Amino acid sequence: MLALERQGRCLLAANTTEQGLAVLGRAQERLVELGAQWDADRVARLLRQHGVEVARTWRRGRHGYGDGLSPRELAVLRIVARGLTNRQAAEALFISPKTVAHHLSRAMRKLGVSSRTALARVAADAGLLDDSTPHAK
């Protein structure tokens, strides 16, 4: 596969771009099939530099919840909205106060507010404080 990559790079250097990109595309696909992710990523970067769309592989854990609150953010929000401090919420959820602060910060960003009071108000208006709501935008 690395020889195929070199061939593609040589074709690019010789200004036979279309042929070189085709060879590199085949090399990248085969590297992915073999599980050689680092090599496949290197070839994919080169292809992208030449305007070829290459699917990106997700390798950083679970996908996020986007603009929706995660179940943990929602749990922290519900506890804090009852008036508990970060330390008290942390003890109730068996996490650190810093983690509580992180979840609150993310929830505030997602809901477009900048204070705990506004967060509780927006959450109440959206029905997020009701335990039957799994998670919401």
Side-chain angles (χ1 to χ4, degrees):
M1 292 312 107
L2 298 180
L4 199 55
E5 177 188 353
R6 281 192 210 106
Q7 179 187 4
R9 286 179 181 272
C10 287
L11 289 167
L12 287 178
N15 289 325
T16 52
T17 306
E18 193 172 312
Q19 200 176 4
L21 292 176
V23 170
L24 286 170
R26 284 195 307 274
Q28 196 269 343
E29 289 171 2
R30 290 183 183 161
L31 288 166
V32 168
E33 290 170 5
L34 291 172
Q37 199 59 50
W38 287 102
D39 294 320
D41 288 347
R42 182 185 58 250
V43 175
R45 271 191 308 277
L46 181 60
L47 287 166
R48 286 187 197 103
Q49 289 171 355
H50 285 85
V52 177
E53 283 198 31
V54 180
R56 296 183 185 270
T57 304
W58 182 262
R59 286 182 279 159
R60 295 190 179 167
R62 288 187 302 170
H63 287 281
Y65 289 87
D67 289 334
L69 297 178
S70 72
R72 193 53 135 177
E73 291 164 350
L74 193 55
V76 169
L77 169 61
R78 287 177 176 154
I79 288 176
V80 171
R82 293 191 325 225
L84 276 68
T85 65
N86 286 8
R87 182 176 299 267
Q88 291 167 328
E91 289 172 5
L93 295 170
F94 302 100
I95 58 178
S96 76
K98 189 171 182 175
T99 302
V100 169
H102 177 74
H103 287 308
L104 284 176
S105 175
R106 290 180 58 89
M108 285 182 202
R109 180 187 52 79
K110 289 177 180 183
L111 295 177
V113 298
S114 59
S115 72
R116 293 166 74 99
T117 304
L119 182 64
R121 189 176 327 120
V122 167
D125 291 347
L128 297 176
L129 301 182
D130 176 21
D131 285 338
S132 64
T133 308
H135 59 84
K137 249 181 165 174

